[in-house]
Amino acid sequence: ESSSKMAIAVAQSHHMFGLRPNISGNIGYLEEQTIVFPSGNQVVRFNIDQKQQRFIPGSDKSQGMTAIALSPNRRYVAIAEKGEKPTVTIYDMLHDQSKKRKTLSAPELQTSEFVSLAFSPDSKYLIAQGSRPEWMLVYWAWEKSKIMATMKTTNQSGQPVYQVLFVLLVFPASLLTPSAQQVSFNPQDNTQICVVGNHIFKLFRYAEGNLKPFGFQKMDLQNYLSHAWVSDERVVVGTDTGRLLLFENGELKTEFHAALPSGSNADTNSVSVSMIPEDTMSLTGSGLGSSQITSVVAYSKGFACAAGAGMVHLYEKTDEKDFYRKTRIVKVGFIVAPTALLFVKHMATCLIYTGITFCISGEGFLPFISRLKIIPPDHHSTDPTQAENQTILSLTVSPSEETLVAATDRSQLYSIALSSADLGEQASFEQLTHSFHSRGITGLDVCIRKPLIATCSVDQSVRIWNYETNSLELYKVFQEEAYSIALHPSGLYILVGFSDKLRLMNILIDDIRIFKELTIRGCRECAFSNGGHLFAAVHGNVIQIYSSTTFENVSNLKGHNGKVRAIAWSADDNKLISTGMDGAVYEWSAAAAKRVNEVVLKSCAYSGVTVSPSGKHTYAVGSDKSIKEITDSQQNPHWFETELSKLKKNRIKISLNGAIFDSGGVTLTQVVMSHSGRMLFCGTSNGALRSIKFPLTDVGEWLEHQAHAAQITKMKITYDDQYLVTVSEDACLMIWRVSDKEGRGVKHDREVPYAEEILITKSDLEEKVGKADMSHCQVEELKMENEYQLRLKDMNYNEKIKELTEKFIQEMEALKTKNQVLKTEKEKEVAKHEEELAEVVDKHSKDMQDLVLNNTCKLQPLQFKTHVESTNNQKLMLEYEKYQELQAKSQRMQEDYERQLQDADEGKEQALEELTEYYETKLQEKTTQLEQRQIEEDADREILDIKNKYERRLRDEIETNMRLKGESGIMRKKFNSLNKEIDSKNEEIKTMQQEKLKLENVIKSLEKDIHGLKKEIQERDETIQDKEKRIYDLKKKNQELEKFKFVLDYKIKELKKQIEPRENDIKAMKEQIQEMESELERFHKQNTQLELNIAELRQKLRATDKELHHERQRVRDSEAVSKRMKTDLHNCVGFLQDPKKLKECVKSVYETHVHDDAESTGVDKDIQKEYARQREHLERSVASLRKK
C-alpha cells in the first residue's frame, strides 16, 4: 500500500498554459526568442523556438502579483506583489533559476499594491507607483534598498494613475507596453519621469533629493490610458476616446484620432489638408471610429498603438529626420486604415491611400503612415468573430524589431512579423504559442492510452492538451458553459456536462463532435471508470451510472442530502467514492448499486476525494481546513458506526488544520494520490500546491509550492505517475513533474507505447478520399498538361535554336561582307597614301627650283652694277660677302630640309612597311579564319540539316508516340472498362441463369401445388355438399330450439324477478362483512400495538425489578457496612482513655470505610447516568421503529 519510510514527494514546475491579463507589464522580450509573461502565481520565461519554460514563483505570503518590469539591459526583472504592505522583488535573469537579488518595501506607504514599475536606463534605479488612497510615487536606488524620493502624483480629486515612464531619448529596443500600466526608459537621463492617469499628465525631474514637476501647462485634461516616448522631448499619449496627443517638453503640440474616418482632417493649425477622392470606395464603414487607446509602444520606425476591438495601428515616419517625403499605397491587414498624420512643424509631401489622397503643404514636419493589424477570427468557435472583438491590453516589440507581440483581455498572446508590414504584404496576427483558456477552468481529466489532458472552462471551450509535447492538440468553443469533463481511458472520447444535457463526444483528427446526448441537467461531476466500460454522472444529489457501450442507465445511487461535489472510482472499478456538501463520504458498490460504507460529518462541506490503489483508504478534504484519512477495516463489518465512534481515537486522522496541528487557516479544495500509493498532494483555496508527507502522522508535514493565483479547482496525476496536472479559477493549467523522495515513480510496462490511433468519421474519410482521388486526377491532368507544355517548350526552344543558327549564319555573312569592305578601304587608304607621298615629293622639288631661280635673279643685277659703277666695288664686295653667307645659309637649310625629307621618307616607308605587314598578317588571319569558318559553317550547315531532319523525324515520332500512348491509354481504359462491363454482364448472365433455374423450379413446384389444390377443391366441393345437407338438418333443429328458447326466456324472466331482492340482500351483507373485516384489522393493529406496549412495559418492569433488586442489595450492603462501622465505633469507644490508640483506631475506621464509600458512590452515579442514557437511546430507537 505505502512505503514504510515516511517521505514528502517532490513536485517541480514543468509547463504552464495561461496568461494573467490584469497585471501591468505582462509581456516583454528577455531575448530575441524568449518572452516573459505572468501565468498563475508565476512569471514564465518562455523560449519560443525550443518551447521550453522556466519559472519565477511568487512569494509565499503575498496576495498576488500586480506589476512586472524588465530592466533595459535585460538582466533584471522586478515583480510587484500585493499584501498588507506591498513589496517589489528583483530577480537576476542571468542565472538559469532566476536568482533573487533584492526585496524592496516601503512600510510608511498607506497602500496595499503598486500599479506600475519602471527601471532607470542604467538599471540602477526603480520607480513604483502606489495605488489608492495616496497614489504615492516611490523612487528607489534598488541595489542599496534606499528610497531616494517620494511624490504624491494624483490631482485634488484623487484620480488613479495608470502609467509611469522615464523619458526616452533613443530607440527603445527594450520598451514594454502593458495594458493600463507601462514603463519605458531613457539611456541618458535617470531623473525625468512621466506619469499619466485619469485626468493626470505630469512630468517630474529628480533633483536635490526631491521629485519636482516641470513642463506644466493649462489644458483640458482627459482620461489618459497609455503613452510612449518617440524622441527625447516628445511623448505620444493615448486617451479613452481614441485620440493620440503629442506633447513636447510637456506642451501639447497636436492631437488626432488613431483612425481617421473618411472625409475628416487632422487637427492642426499649421498644416492645410485637402482630400482628393480617387474612386467611390469609402472607409466610413470600416469600423475605425473612436475607441480606447489601451497601449502604445515606440520603435525605431515609429510607434504602434492598440485602438478598438482587436486592432493595432502602426505609424511609421520617413527616413530623414527633419524633412520627409513619402508616397505609398498601404493595403495591410483585413482593413486599409486611412492616414493618421502627426504634425510637428511643416512639410511638403503627398500621401496616397486606397480611396483617398491626402495632399499636405509645408516643410520640415514628422509624418507617420498608419497600417492596421487585426486579430484573425477563431474558426474553432461557433461565433468566429468573437476573437476579433478582443481588447489588446499590452504591446511589445522584439529587440531586433522583427516581431510585434500583443496580449489581450481574454488571456491570449498574438504576434505579427513587422517585416511583412514593411513589404506591404497582407498580414494579420497569429497565436504566439497556443490558445489559452480565458476564464476559470471547471473540469479536468487525463487518460491512460494517450498523453492527453482534457479541460473545460467557464469560457465555453473544451480543450485537449498533450503533456509530452506541451502543446494544444484540439479545442472547440460551444454556445454554453461546460461544467465538467471526463476523458475515456482510450483517449478517443470525452464526456462533457452542460447546463441542459450531458454529451458524449468523439475526439476526431480535427474536431470534437457530439454523438450521444443524455438528459442530465447541470452535471457538475462526471468520471469514466478505469476500465472505461462505465461512467458516473452527478445529477444534483443523485449519482447515475451508465454503460459506455450501450449508454443505458445501469443504476442510480441515492443517499446524499446535498449536492455531490466529488466522485472517484477505485482502481478495480468495484467501488465508487462520493462526497458532497452535506458532509457525507459514501462508498458505493458499483455491481450491487448500493451503499456499502459511510462517514458523515455535517460541519464539513467536502470538495475533493481520492482513493488509495488498494481501495482500503479514502482521503477527503473540505471546508473544515483538514484532510481526513478514512480506513476500511476488513474485520469490522459495521464500518460506519465503528469509524464514527472511534473519531476521538484517530481512526479518522485529521492531519491538516484539524485538532492536531494548524496550517495557517487555509482551506484545502482538492486532494489526489498517486497510482503507486506513495505520493499525496493537496490544492488550496489560495492557489498553492502542497505535497503531504506520507503516510500521514499525528503531526503532519508538507511542502508548499506556489502555483496559481486563485483557488485550485481540479487535480489529476497521469497514469505513469510522472506528471501532476492542476487547474484553477485563474484560467491557467499547470503541469508538474513529480516523484517521491527517492525519485521513484510507478513502474509501468513502457514497452507498450502511447496509442497513435485517431478517430475519423466515415463521411470525413470518404470526403478526404474523394479529395485525394480528385487531387490524384488533378495531378495526372497536370502531368499530362506539363508534358504537353514541355513538348511545346521543346518545340519553341528548337525554333529558337533554329532562329539563332540562322541569325549566326547571317552574322557570319555580315562579317564576311564587312571584311571585304575593310579590304577595299585598306586599298583605298594605301592608294591615297601613295598619292599624298607623290604630292609631297613634287612640292619639295618645286620649292628647290624656286629657290635656285631667286638666287640667280639676285646675282645678275650685281654684275651689271660692277660694270656700271666700278666705284662701288667696296659695296659690291660687301654684298658679295653677304651673298656668300646667304648662299652658305641656304645650302645649310637645303641640307637640313633634305635630311628632314629623308627622315620623313624613311619614317613613312617604315610605317608603310609596318602597316602593310600588319594588314597582310591580318588579312592572312582573316582569310584563314574565313576558310575555317567556311568549313565549319559548311559542316554546321550539314549538321544542322541532318539534326533538323532527324529532329523533325524524332518530333514526329514523339508526337505520334505520345498520340499513340494517349490513344493506347484511352483504348486501355476503354478496354479495361469494356472488360469490366463484360465481366459484369457475364456475372449478370450467370445470376440471371441461376434466377431462371430458380424460377423454373418455382414454376414446377407451383404447378404441383395447383394440381394438389384442384384435387383439394374437388374434395372440398364434396364436403360442402355434405355440409349443406347437414346445415339443412340443423336449421330444422334450430327452429325447434327457438321455440324451446322462447319458453325458457319466459321462465328466466320470472326467475330474475325472484332473484333481484336476494342479490340486494347479498350485497348489503358483503358490505357489512367488509366493515367487520376492516374493524377486525384495526383491532389486530391495536392488539399488536398493545402487545408491543406490553412487551415494552415488561422490559421496563424487568429493568425496574433488576433495579429494585439492585437497590435492595445495595441497602443490605449499606446496612451491613453500617453494622460493621457501628461495631468498629463501639470498639473505638473503648479507647477513650488512650488518645493514641483512639486516634489510630479512628484513622483505621476512616481508611476502611469512608474512602470506599466515596468511591462506590461516585461509581454508582456514573453507572446510573450511563444506564439512563442507554435507556433513553433504546426508547428513542423503539419509538422510531414504531413510526416506521
Side-chain angles (χ1 to χ4, degrees), residues 751-763:
E751 293 180 358
V752 180
Y754 286 120
E756 296 183 356
E757 294 80 8
I758 56 172
L759 289 180
I760 184 168
T761 61
K762 185 178 179 181
S763 59

Side-chain angles (χ1 to χ4, degrees), residues 256 415 418 914 984 1066 1120:
F256 57 93
S415 67
L418 293 176
E914 289 176 355
S984 63
I1066 290 167

Side-chain angles (χ1 to χ4, degrees), residues 996-1165:
K996 181 183 175 183
L997 293 173
K998 288 180 182 177
L999 290 171
E1000 287 176 353
N1001 294 326
V1002 170
I1003 289 166
K1004 289 179 181 179
S1005 63
L1006 289 174
E1007 287 177 351
K1008 289 179 182 179
D1009 292 336
I1010 289 167
H1011 183 67
L1013 289 171
K1014 285 181 179 179
K1015 288 183 179 179
E1016 189 175 356
I1017 288 167
Q1018 289 177 358
E1019 291 174 355
R1020 288 190 178 183
D1021 288 335
E1022 293 174 356
T1023 54
I1024 286 167
Q1025 290 177 0
D1026 295 334
K1027 294 288 184 183
E1028 285 178 352
K1029 290 179 181 179
R1030 192 175 175 186
I1031 287 167
Y1032 179 75
D1033 296 333
L1034 290 172
K1035 281 183 179 179
K1036 287 183 177 179
K1037 288 182 181 180
N1038 192 15
Q1039 289 177 357
E1040 293 175 358
L1041 289 171
E1042 282 179 355
K1043 293 177 182 178
F1044 187 70
K1045 179 186 174 185
F1046 179 77
V1047 176
L1048 289 176
D1049 287 336
Y1050 180 79
K1051 288 183 179 180
I1052 287 167
K1053 287 180 183 177
E1054 293 291 331
L1055 290 172
K1056 280 183 179 179
K1057 289 179 182 178
Q1058 295 175 6
I1059 288 168
E1060 282 178 0
R1062 292 182 182 179
E1063 285 180 349
N1064 293 330
D1065 295 336
I1066 290 167
K1067 188 175 181 181
M1069 294 297 290
K1070 283 182 179 180
E1071 290 176 356
Q1072 189 175 359
I1073 289 166
Q1074 287 178 356
E1075 290 176 357
M1076 291 175 72
E1077 284 177 352
S1078 62
E1079 190 174 359
L1080 182 62
E1081 285 178 359
R1082 188 168 64 254
F1083 282 132
H1084 278 304
K1085 287 182 181 179
Q1086 288 179 358
N1087 287 333
T1088 53
Q1089 185 66 34
L1090 289 171
E1091 285 175 358
L1092 291 171
N1093 291 335
I1094 289 166
E1096 184 180 359
L1097 292 171
R1098 283 176 180 171
Q1099 289 177 357
K1100 287 184 179 180
L1101 182 61
R1102 284 196 294 271
T1104 51
D1105 287 338
K1106 287 180 181 179
E1107 190 175 358
L1108 180 62
H1109 182 269
H1110 183 67
E1111 290 294 330
R1112 285 177 179 173
Q1113 183 67 32
R1114 205 170 147 202
V1115 168
R1116 286 196 294 270
D1117 293 340
S1118 61
E1119 285 176 354
V1121 170
S1122 63
K1123 284 181 182 179
R1124 286 197 301 272
M1125 192 172 181
K1126 284 179 183 179
T1127 55
D1128 291 336
L1129 288 173
H1130 186 267
N1131 293 330
C1132 288
V1133 171
F1135 296 106
L1136 288 174
Q1137 300 300 325
D1138 192 352
K1140 288 184 179 180
K1141 290 183 178 180
L1142 180 64
K1143 182 178 179 182
E1144 291 175 357
C1145 185
V1146 170
K1147 188 175 180 181
S1148 64
V1149 170
Y1150 180 81
E1151 288 176 354
T1152 55
H1153 296 288
V1154 176
H1155 186 265
D1156 293 336
D1157 289 342
E1159 254 185 3
S1160 62
T1161 55
V1163 171
D1164 292 340
K1165 288 180 182 179

Side-chain angles (χ1 to χ4, degrees), residues 304-306 310-314 333-334 372-377 392 394-396 403-408 413-418 420 426-432:
C305 69
M311 293 188 292
V312 174
H313 298 266
L314 298 181
F334 294 103
L372 189 65
K373 305 295 176 193
I374 300 180
I375 294 176
I392 294 175
S394 300
L395 294 172
T396 187
T403 308
L404 176 69
V405 176
T408 70
L413 289 174
Y414 294 95
S415 67
I416 190 170
L418 293 176
S420 63
Q426 287 194 356
S428 62
F429 279 104
E430 297 177 353
Q431 291 283 352
L432 180 64

Side-chain angles (χ1 to χ4, degrees), residues 534-546:
L534 299 173
F535 64 85
V538 174
H539 191 188
N541 54 3
V542 179
I543 303 171
Q544 297 182 354
I545 298 179
Y546 288 83

Side-chain angles (χ1 to χ4, degrees), residues 794-844:
D794 288 337
M795 293 171 66
N796 292 329
Y797 287 144
N798 290 329
E799 290 178 358
K800 286 182 180 179
I801 290 168
K802 188 175 179 181
E803 290 176 358
L804 288 172
T805 53
E806 290 177 355
K807 188 177 179 182
F808 176 70
I809 292 168
Q810 290 175 1
E811 287 179 355
M812 286 182 68
E813 295 292 334
L815 287 171
K816 284 181 180 180
T817 55
K818 190 175 180 181
N819 192 13
Q820 292 293 333
V821 171
L822 289 172
K823 281 183 179 180
T824 55
E825 287 180 355
K826 179 193 172 185
E827 290 174 355
K828 288 180 181 178
E829 288 291 331
V830 170
K832 186 179 178 181
H833 182 69
E834 289 176 352
E835 289 177 358
E836 288 178 354
L837 184 61
E839 289 177 358
V840 170
V841 172
D842 293 338
K843 187 178 179 182
H844 178 67

Side-chain angles (χ1 to χ4, degrees), residues 605-728:
Y606 289 106
S607 58
V609 69
T610 188
V611 189
S612 65
S614 65
K616 294 181 180 180
H617 301 273
T618 301
Y619 302 89
V621 294
S623 60
D624 62 350
K625 303 175 183 178
S626 65
I627 179 171
K628 301 170 185 61
E629 179 184 7
I630 304 168
T631 303
D632 183 6
S633 175
Q634 296 293 333
Q635 298 176 358
N636 189 358
H638 303 289
W639 186 73
F640 168 72
E641 294 181 2
T642 304
E643 292 301 317
L644 192 61
S645 64
K646 294 185 178 182
L647 180 62
K648 294 182 181 179
K649 297 181 181 180
N650 290 333
R651 287 287 292 170
I652 298 177
K653 299 180 182 179
I654 300 178
S655 61
L656 292 182
N657 297 5
I660 296 177
F661 68 91
D662 185 14
S663 65
V666 178
T667 302
L668 303 176
T669 58
Q670 290 294 317
V671 62
V672 66
M673 173 171 271
S674 65
H675 298 86
S676 63
R678 293 195 294 265
M679 297 181 286
L680 187 67
F681 299 94
C682 288
T684 65
S685 58
N686 60 7
L689 174 70
R690 288 187 176 180
S691 177
I692 311 299
K693 187 174 183 179
F694 189 80
L696 301 180
T697 59
D698 294 337
V699 181
E701 296 180 17
W702 72 88
L703 289 176
E704 186 166 287
H705 308 277
Q706 295 301 312
H708 297 275
Q711 173 181 326
I712 293 178
T713 54
K714 294 290 178 183
M715 298 171 62
K716 291 287 182 181
I717 288 184
T718 59
Y719 183 66
D720 57 1
D721 282 351
Q722 296 295 319
Y723 299 101
L724 167 68
V725 185
T726 60
V727 295
S728 171

